[in-house]
Amino acid sequence: MGCDITIFCEGYKWGKWINIDSFYRSDGWAEYMVTEDQGFIRDSLLHGVRDYGLFFLLAGVRGDGDKESYLPIDFTRGIPDAMDQLIKRRYEDDYDIDFNNDFNKGNGDFHHASHYTLKELKDSGYGDIMPLQGWVHPEDYARHEEWMADGKRYALPFIDVRCGKPDDEELILKEWNGYLNLNFTDLIEKLEKMKEKNLIRSDKEIRIIFWFDN
């Protein structure tokens, strides 16, 4: 069964957290108020990507901690107490959440709701070029070295060393400096652009709120 992410961006403006990646011409999102003369535009943070490597880094979803050298940023936190009411309404409507119960554990197909500030995403180091190690295919490794030397981004596919030696005898064990997950890097860069666009000063004042469903 596939797993998808629902993700929104908030900025702290005018003394409160408000949604800044969705734009609407009425009092509510177009999901709730749609007429012929109303429009709805949303800046996509992930373009609907289903990246289980990214999901694991954000919340430990679709991964095995015993076989991963690069662990999730933090444990699942749930949604914030203070947040944009339209995002909270989407959260409630999608999953019929009872806020008197422990929503961190999930309800039905819903699971792993959490949130991070831009500062926390940056401080993880997962968006930067970082030291990596794993079992790789020689052709992929050569392509990685060529692309990085040309200033182009390349996320080298690898099997984690904690998985043990793979059966494929063509794979070699290497260490390199590169990107762990380019979707993670892209997410940070998109948040940086939203921060600038919305005149937000601090990385602590812009954040993502997300959850998963199967």
Side-chain angles (χ1 to χ4, degrees):
M1 181 181 294
C3 180
D4 295 298
I5 189 170
T6 299
I7 183 169
F8 294 101
C9 180
E10 288 185 333
Y12 192 76
K13 303 178 68 173
W14 307 296
K16 62 181 180 179
W17 288 100
I18 64 170
N19 175 240
I20 60 173
D21 63 338
S22 303
F23 303 88
Y24 43 89
R25 292 184 233 157
S26 64
D27 293 333
W29 286 347
E31 284 99 331
Y32 305 112
M33 297 181 64
V34 179
T35 65
E36 292 182 358
D37 60 354
Q38 290 178 330
F40 177 77
I41 301 173
R42 186 166 180 221
D43 283 344
S44 176
L45 294 171
L46 293 173
H47 299 297
V49 68
R50 180 182 282 179
D51 182 343
Y52 292 158
L54 174 66
F55 294 176
F56 181 75
L57 295 177
L58 290 176
V61 171
R62 292 299 173 112
D64 184 348
D66 293 333
K67 296 182 179 179
E68 303 282 354
S69 297
Y70 310 98
L71 299 178
I73 301 172
D74 197 1
F75 297 104
T76 304
R77 301 172 170 182
I79 60 172
D81 292 332
M83 61 184 295
D84 184 285
Q85 291 303 299
L86 283 172
I87 298 178
K88 185 174 181 179
R89 181 178 170 187
R90 165 69 183 271
Y91 180 86
E92 293 174 316
D93 287 355
D94 276 2
Y95 300 103
D96 191 23
I97 299 301
D98 179 359
F99 280 88
N100 293 319
N101 293 323
D102 185 359
F103 53 81
N104 287 320
K105 295 180 180 178
N107 182 5
D109 290 335
F110 152 79
H111 55 95
H112 290 82
S114 199
H115 60 280
Y116 293 111
T117 64
L118 175 56
K119 182 179 186 305
E120 290 172 316
L121 294 174
K122 286 182 175 180
D123 287 349
S124 73
Y126 287 154
D128 304 326
I129 294 176
M130 57 184 288
L132 298 168
Q133 181 185 33
W135 294 92
V136 301
H137 196 283
E139 292 182 2
D140 289 334
Y141 182 78
R143 185 180 300 110
H144 172 269
E145 296 299 286
E146 178 183 350
W147 281 39
M148 295 294 282
D150 289 342
K152 296 185 291 185
R153 292 177 175 175
Y154 187 82
L156 177 59
F158 68 96
I159 296 176
D160 199 293
V161 293
R162 297 188 68 184
C163 295
K165 186 176 180 179
D167 294 332
D168 189 342
E169 295 182 356
E170 292 187 1
L171 298 182
I172 56 176
L173 182 61
K174 300 291 289 187
E175 295 181 0
W176 67 96
N177 292 322
Y179 292 100
L180 178 61
N181 186 290
L182 286 178
N183 283 319
F184 194 104
T185 302
D186 289 344
L187 174 61
I188 289 176
E189 292 181 348
K190 288 172 185 175
L191 290 173
E192 286 277 19
K193 291 179 180 179
M194 288 186 183
K195 174 187 168 187
E196 180 179 357
K197 181 179 180 180
N198 287 274
L199 304 178
I200 296 172
R201 296 182 179 181
S202 170
D203 288 347
K204 294 181 180 179
E205 295 180 339
I206 181 169
R207 70 186 181 191
I208 55 171
I209 296 176
F210 59 92
W211 55 89
F212 300 86
D213 64 279
N214 293 331

